[in-house]
Amino acid sequence: MAPVAIPLSVKGAQDLRELTQALKDAGAKDLQKELYRGINRAMKPLKEVARKAAREGLPKRGGLADTIARSKITTRRVVNKRRNMYSVRLVATSGHDIRALDRGKLRWPVFPEEGSDRSEWTWKKRDIKPGWWSEPLKRASGIPREEILQVMADVKRKLEAAAR
């Protein structure tokens, strides 16, 4: 399944784009790494919010809640050159359609008998609480915002000091 991304808008996204470009232009790889480590560190609490949301918001029977909670969750920095945008996203990769689950749609195959091909499967559907994933993450998105801005300020200060 394609990963699902929850964008984090940071006031100062333009500053973040400009800072990453300045770091690239200066060839300051150590400061780039420091910035990226800081962003990852700031996003870590959101990963726990996402795992908790899965455990609390999804059906436990059949292990779905636990499976989604154990999904690989990473931080991605995304550059959109056409829109001149830079964003930070929390991305979960799972064998399940997390977007559909977040919309409140759960479905699973029912296998008629052993040896049957996929065309013979039927699907059961169940509505679940929509927003179980996105709502807690939106509420918690303020957690990393200030820390990311602080990391940006620190890296910018170090870059300016190195340029002198």
Side-chain angles (χ1 to χ4, degrees):
M1 284 291 146
V4 63
I6 301 296
L8 170 68
S9 58
V10 176
K11 186 175 182 183
Q14 178 68 20
D15 296 334
L16 182 57
R17 188 194 63 75
E18 289 171 5
L19 178 59
T20 56
Q21 187 61 51
L23 291 169
K24 185 177 179 182
D25 292 345
K29 293 197 181 286
D30 55 333
L31 290 177
Q32 282 178 322
K33 287 180 184 177
E34 183 177 332
L35 176 64
Y36 298 152
R37 276 194 304 266
I39 290 171
N40 288 337
R41 186 176 53 250
M43 295 293 283
K44 197 169 186 174
L46 283 185
K47 292 179 183 183
E48 292 309 313
V49 168
R51 293 183 197 293
K52 182 178 179 188
R55 287 190 179 98
E56 293 176 358
L58 289 172
K60 290 161 187 52
R61 186 171 179 214
L64 180 64
D66 194 45
T67 299
I68 299 297
R70 288 189 324 246
S71 296
K72 181 178 180 181
I73 301 175
T74 57
T75 301
R76 269 200 200 143
R77 296 166 306 278
V78 179
V79 179
N80 184 331
K81 290 184 180 181
R82 276 192 331 191
R83 290 187 176 167
N84 201 20
M85 263 178 37
Y86 190 101
S87 64
V88 177
R89 293 183 176 185
L90 190 66
V91 178
T93 306
S94 171
H96 297 276
D97 187 350
I98 296 176
R99 286 182 206 269
L101 291 170
D102 191 49
R103 287 191 309 266
K105 304 297 178 194
L106 170 62
R107 71 181 205 138
W108 65 95
V110 178
F111 310 105
E113 59 186 59
E114 231 177 282
S116 63
D117 65 15
R118 191 177 182 122
S119 65
E120 296 176 25
W121 294 1
T122 58
W123 292 86
K124 286 207 170 201
K125 296 177 183 179
R126 175 179 162 194
D127 289 334
I128 57 175
K129 179 184 170 197
W132 62 269
W133 169 272
S134 57
E135 292 305 317
L137 286 171
K138 283 178 188 172
R139 284 192 303 272
S141 65
I143 295 170
R145 188 172 286 124
E146 293 304 316
E147 190 174 341
I148 290 173
L149 291 173
Q150 185 60 50
V151 168
M152 288 169 48
D154 293 346
V155 169
K156 185 177 180 181
R157 194 171 37 257
K158 289 177 183 179
L159 181 62
E160 289 169 349
R164 289 183 204 145

